[in-house]
Amino acid sequence: MAEITAALVKDLREKTGAGMMDCKKALNEAGGDIEAAIDWLRTKGLAAAAKKSGRVTAEGLVGVLSEGRRGAMVEVNAETDFVARNEAFQGFVESVAKVALKVGDDLETVKAAALETGRTVAEELTHLIATIGENMSIRRVRVLEVPSGEVATYVHGALKPGLGKIGVLAAVEAPTAGDAIVALGRQVGMHVAATRPAALDVSSIDPAAVEREREVLKEQARASGKPEAIIEKMIEGRIRKFYEEVVLLEQVWVHDGESRVKAILDKAGVKLAAFDRFHLGEGIEKEESDFAAEVAKAAGG
């Protein structure tokens, strides 16, 4: 039997898009003949993944997972909303979140991590693409950790625990951990899901964004014809209002409609160290399609 070298496996992977373990098995089955190995992969449906790689993936699931002081969040995309209800796909998203919780949020490190199936995360994704028949991608990963306290999670519109369309991580620093901190963190998560803050505090806002806002406000104020001294006061007032809209700690707490988020946290004796919010498909340009035309085309009309 021909020796199955790493170079041969790499060549087959590049030609088919199939996973490393599948390529190795195919070459063993084909006695090292790469064309026969391609045919073997095709008969198993494992060479189809490469053909799907150009399709837009804006659906799928956001998965969140927390274990005390550390939490992970991932977004895994697919082509259609139907895939989000597929148990194999849901299981994969949960597996990716578990891996991220362990290895961190470097995407390439996550993809290279091994799963219980014997494949890496990237190979398992290729296998899933071939099995389900849609293009898929792991879009982003985030891991948060606090020295003491809890990293709480929240999923809006959850299909099942930890999986949905919008996910939030809230890293709450506190002297101790416990259910009360988790509950508060979850409330913060609900607030973040609803208000979409751009930054945790004023100091973490992009200065360029503040300057752009200031210039817009300045032009608007000058159009009123008021003196420069009055204009400057108007601008400062409107900048404060801008902060109240986009800075989490400056926002009005959605749960009571009057307190500031920072006041709620201060009263609880905790600090929000960090947060993140993933909204499925956010920023992905979707292709608009005529469904009726697609059906007619598929039917040969």
Side-chain angles (χ1 to χ4, degrees):
M1 182 180 287
E3 182 187 358
I4 309 303
T5 64
L8 202 58
V9 173
K10 181 174 181 289
D11 189 23
L12 185 57
R13 286 189 72 187
E14 289 173 353
K15 282 183 165 66
T16 64
M20 184 178 72
M21 297 303 292
D22 291 323
C23 286
K24 191 171 181 181
K25 186 174 181 181
L27 286 163
N28 280 321
E29 292 287 335
D33 185 320
I34 199 157
E35 294 302 321
I38 290 171
D39 289 342
W40 186 89
L41 287 168
R42 289 179 65 194
T43 62
K44 301 293 183 183
L46 298 175
K51 297 177 182 178
K52 298 179 175 69
S53 62
R55 298 182 189 169
V56 175
T57 55
E59 300 295 340
L61 285 170
V62 171
V64 298
L65 181 64
S66 177
E67 289 184 359
R69 297 184 296 105
R70 189 172 169 92
M73 182 162 59
V74 302
E75 179 181 350
V76 183
N77 298 131
E79 293 178 58
T80 68
D81 185 50
F82 298 109
V83 172
R85 290 166 174 77
N86 181 292
E87 289 186 4
F89 181 76
Q90 292 177 358
F92 177 72
V93 178
E94 289 171 334
S95 295
V96 176
K98 286 178 184 176
V99 166
L101 193 66
K102 183 179 179 181
V103 306
D105 52 16
D106 178 76
L107 190 53
E108 294 308 312
T109 303
V110 169
K111 288 180 179 179
L115 295 173
E116 292 178 0
T117 59
R119 303 183 184 97
T120 66
V121 169
E123 289 166 352
E124 192 67 29
L125 180 64
T126 300
H127 181 76
L128 199 60
I129 291 168
T131 304
I132 293 177
E134 282 196 13
N135 188 27
M136 301 172 198
S137 62
I138 303 168
R139 186 185 182 201
R140 50 183 171 166
V141 184
R142 186 72 197 275
V143 173
L144 296 180
E145 188 170 8
V146 287
S148 63
E150 300 273 358
V151 176
T153 66
Y154 173 71
V155 176
H156 183 71
L159 282 180
K160 60 183 290 192
L163 297 176
K165 302 284 187 181
I166 299 175
V168 180
L169 292 179
V172 183
E173 277 189 31
T176 58
D179 292 344
I181 303 301
V182 172
L184 177 60
R186 178 177 164 77
Q187 284 190 309
V188 171
M190 293 172 71
H191 175 99
V192 169
T195 63
R196 301 178 62 181
L200 174 61
D201 52 32
V202 171
S203 66
S204 58
I205 282 208
D206 180 1
V210 177
E211 192 53 39
R212 281 196 303 272
E213 187 68 17
R214 191 180 293 276
E215 287 302 315
V216 170
L217 293 173
K218 194 176 289 186
E219 290 303 314
Q220 290 175 345
R222 279 177 180 153
S224 68
K226 290 184 171 62
E228 281 294 321
I230 303 259
I231 286 173
E232 283 302 318
K233 288 182 181 178
M234 287 171 64
I235 290 169
E236 289 310 311
R238 289 176 184 178
I239 286 291
R240 282 196 298 274
K241 183 68 176 173
F242 169 70
Y243 288 149
E244 289 168 9
E245 290 172 358
V246 303
V247 174
L248 175 54
L249 295 182
E250 304 297 325
Q251 289 179 333
V252 173
W253 187 235
V254 295
H255 301 284
D256 68 12
E258 56 184 43
S259 307
R260 298 289 174 194
V261 173
K262 59 183 176 184
I264 297 294
L265 296 170
D266 287 346
K267 185 177 179 181
V270 302
K271 174 188 174 185
L272 187 65
F275 76 94
D276 208 344
R277 177 187 189 273
F278 283 3
H279 189 159
L280 180 69
E282 192 171 41
I284 298 175
E285 205 169 308
K286 299 182 183 181
E287 293 178 352
E288 297 298 327
S289 61
D290 185 334
F291 183 68
E294 287 182 7
V295 171
K297 182 179 178 182

